[in-house]
Amino acid sequence: MVSSGTLHVVATEMTVGSFAMAGTAFLLAGLASHGVTRLEAYLKHFDHIAHFALAFGLLAMPLAIFSGIQSSPGDGIDHPLLINKLFLSSASLGLALGVLLARRSRGVAIWEHTMSKRWQMLGGMVASGLILLTASIGGTFSRGESLLDFFHLPYDMVPLMPMWLSLLVIIGAVLNLVAVRRSSNA
């Protein structure tokens, strides 16, 4: 029988690796779509790699979350680092789903319009960065160190959003969904 700690390491590596690949591919796709590099001919390949890696990371993420909760000492999520990991992974999950849904509704044409290609590139890279930050917090929790220690991030503080900010985020999400729906119908 495989322990939850070992399963968590495997699931985390799959999630982090696929998100890192997705973030790199989103960067290359964004550069290629803006004509910054001489990689314009490979835009379609970068697009497919970015979205496939992002989707694979999303499929691996629940296993990483549940095995991480099971392998953590104590009674589940009772440490500020674990709560921050849950917040960041949830934010990444939502952002990654938005990126994938936008790509599904617009197709490869999403890289043709200035604003959509910028948001697609930025959304994919931020979702990937949030997962890498989540993995860094995991290293801090389990080993007491991480690759991002030189930033001196306050991992032990749990950010709580006031109710007005939560409502503002919900309103922004609904407006974004309406805008995407209107642009896909046009």
Side-chain angles (χ1 to χ4, degrees):
M1 189 78 163
V2 177
S3 71
S4 58
T6 302
L7 188 60
H8 180 64
V9 169
V10 171
T12 299
E13 294 302 325
M14 287 191 318
T15 303
V16 171
S18 60
F19 269 90
M21 182 185 295
T24 303
F26 274 112
L27 175 64
L28 292 171
L31 292 174
S33 70
H34 282 86
V36 175
T37 63
R38 293 191 171 116
L39 300 173
E40 292 87 5
Y42 300 105
L43 174 60
K44 190 178 268 189
H45 298 294
F46 293 142
D47 171 67
H48 291 304
I49 292 168
H51 291 95
F52 179 80
L54 194 64
F56 184 79
L58 284 177
L59 290 175
M61 189 186 296
L63 181 61
I65 291 171
F66 293 128
S67 63
I69 291 171
Q70 293 299 317
S71 66
S72 68
D75 296 327
I77 305 174
D78 58 354
H79 194 279
L81 293 177
L82 298 177
I83 295 169
N84 282 330
K85 283 181 66 167
L86 189 62
F87 282 162
L88 289 172
S89 63
S90 297
S92 177
L93 179 104
L95 190 55
L97 282 174
V99 166
L100 290 174
L101 290 174
R103 168 59 171 81
R104 183 173 182 258
S105 68
R106 303 285 301 270
V108 181
I110 201 161
W111 297 104
E112 295 173 5
H113 304 287
T114 304
M115 289 307 291
S116 66
K117 64 183 165 186
R118 288 181 184 163
W119 282 111
Q120 193 70 2
M121 178 182 75
L122 185 65
M125 289 176 59
V126 169
S128 299
L130 289 173
I131 287 297
L132 296 177
L133 185 58
T134 302
S136 177
I137 292 174
T140 301
F141 182 73
S142 63
R143 293 180 304 278
E145 65 179 357
S146 77
L147 288 175
L148 301 179
D149 280 346
F150 60 90
F151 285 126
H152 303 292
L153 298 172
Y155 291 142
D156 56 346
M157 293 174 42
V158 178
L160 297 177
M161 291 176 58
M163 186 60 76
W164 64 269
L165 187 55
S166 298
L167 291 173
L168 189 64
V169 168
I170 290 172
I171 291 169
V174 169
L175 291 175
N176 192 17
L177 288 172
V178 169
V180 167
R181 179 59 105 183
R182 283 188 184 165
S183 68
S184 66
N185 288 338

